[in-house]
Amino acid sequence: MSAEKTSTPKSGDADGAARPGRRTPLIVAAVAIVAAIGVTAAVGLGGDGDKAPGAGPGSVAVVSGGSDSTKAATVLDRPFTKPDLVLTDTEGKPYDLRERTKGKPTLIYFGYTHCPDVCPMTMSNIAIAMKKLPPADQEKLQVVFVTTDPERDTPASLAKWLPAAGDASFTGLTGDFSTIQAGARQIGIGIDPPKKLPGNKVVSMHGAQVVAFSPTTDQGYVLYGEDTSIDDYAKDLPKLIKGENP
């Protein structure tokens, strides 16, 4: 895992806070290790309270080991149940994640708008790859961005940031931090509250994985890391939209 970094405040930042550097993904590193060595193992965040619904005893998800370590996707033998989250969308209206994305191919990502690198890059990569799809498939795909910094990421700020970083069709959600944190934990992603340090610096840490949910089962069965490229998404999205393994 990389160390958390902070930088000095940049001029023009409305809140005067430093923009954190590359964050430490908080999902257990075993995901990457398992994908690399091609074995099956349990992946989680720790104790029983961190288990995702639908996962077996003592595990959050089981990663399916494969011989092809060049693939960006990590397919789960035991997929995640979609988080039971009701948050606030960019129009200030309640958004029931399960209900609104039911039966639709869905990508969920937890991040924040003050992120200087991984978050906007991830949204941009998905948006560019999505544009390569036929219009009908573009309409089917749901991309949900859930903020890990709800104090600063208001509905209005998400509404402004998402079209610039990704696409106007992406859904931005905010709400109570504890609710967001619990929802992230349900799919094996850890997030910490943003920490304010002396000198107006802000440290924020969160898992940087994209979780893909099948339109046929509404289960989260594929993980993508922060290094997933536009080409990786472009190759996999047609299959994800059909609920197939990439």
Side-chain angles (χ1 to χ4, degrees):
M1 291 187 178
S2 59
E4 181 69 17
K5 299 178 181 178
T6 57
S7 58
T8 55
K10 295 181 179 180
S11 59
D13 283 356
D15 56 8
R19 297 194 173 196
R22 199 175 186 86
R23 296 163 315 288
T24 303
L26 296 186
I27 198 165
V28 170
V31 169
I33 297 172
V34 169
I37 64 177
V39 298
T40 300
V43 179
L45 287 172
D48 291 344
D50 290 331
K51 293 178 186 175
S59 68
V60 169
V62 173
V63 177
S64 177
S67 58
D68 187 357
S69 61
T70 63
K71 287 187 176 181
T74 299
V75 179
L76 305 178
D77 285 341
R78 295 182 186 175
F80 293 114
T81 297
K82 191 173 291 181
D84 185 11
L85 275 175
V86 178
L87 296 170
T88 303
D89 65 16
T90 54
E91 296 180 353
K93 298 178 180 179
Y95 186 98
D96 187 321
L97 180 65
R98 286 185 177 176
E99 183 63 29
R100 296 287 291 273
T101 62
K102 185 177 181 179
K104 300 176 182 179
T106 304
L107 303 181
I108 296 178
Y109 181 80
F110 288 81
Y112 64 116
T113 66
H114 287 74
C115 171
D117 43 39
V118 178
C119 298
M121 180 187 69
T122 300
M123 291 298 98
S124 177
N125 286 352
I126 293 173
I128 294 171
M130 185 182 72
K131 293 301 184 184
K132 299 177 183 292
L133 295 169
D137 284 346
Q138 291 184 37
E139 293 182 6
K140 293 176 183 177
L141 183 64
Q142 307 295 303
V143 180
V144 180
F145 180 93
V146 184
T147 182
T148 60
D149 184 13
E151 182 176 340
R152 292 186 292 177
D153 287 347
T154 63
S157 63
L158 284 170
K160 182 178 180 180
W161 183 83
L162 269 177
D167 188 83
S169 68
F170 290 2
T171 297
L173 300 178
T174 187
D176 179 72
F177 179 82
S178 61
T179 301
I180 293 171
Q181 185 180 49
R185 188 178 293 120
Q186 290 177 39
I187 55 175
I189 294 176
I191 62 175
D192 289 342
K195 296 179 181 178
K196 296 180 180 180
L197 303 178
N200 290 326
K201 293 182 180 180
V202 176
V203 175
S204 181
M205 296 177 67
H206 65 83
Q209 289 71 29
V210 173
V211 184
F213 288 80
S214 168
T216 59
T217 65
D218 280 320
Q219 298 288 300
Y221 68 115
V222 181
L223 296 177
Y224 291 95
E226 64 183 65
D227 294 326
T228 305
S229 69
I230 294 170
D231 289 342
D232 292 328
Y233 283 119
K235 181 175 64 176
D236 288 0
L237 285 179
K239 294 181 179 179
L240 296 177
I241 288 173
K242 297 177 182 178
E244 299 174 354
N245 285 351

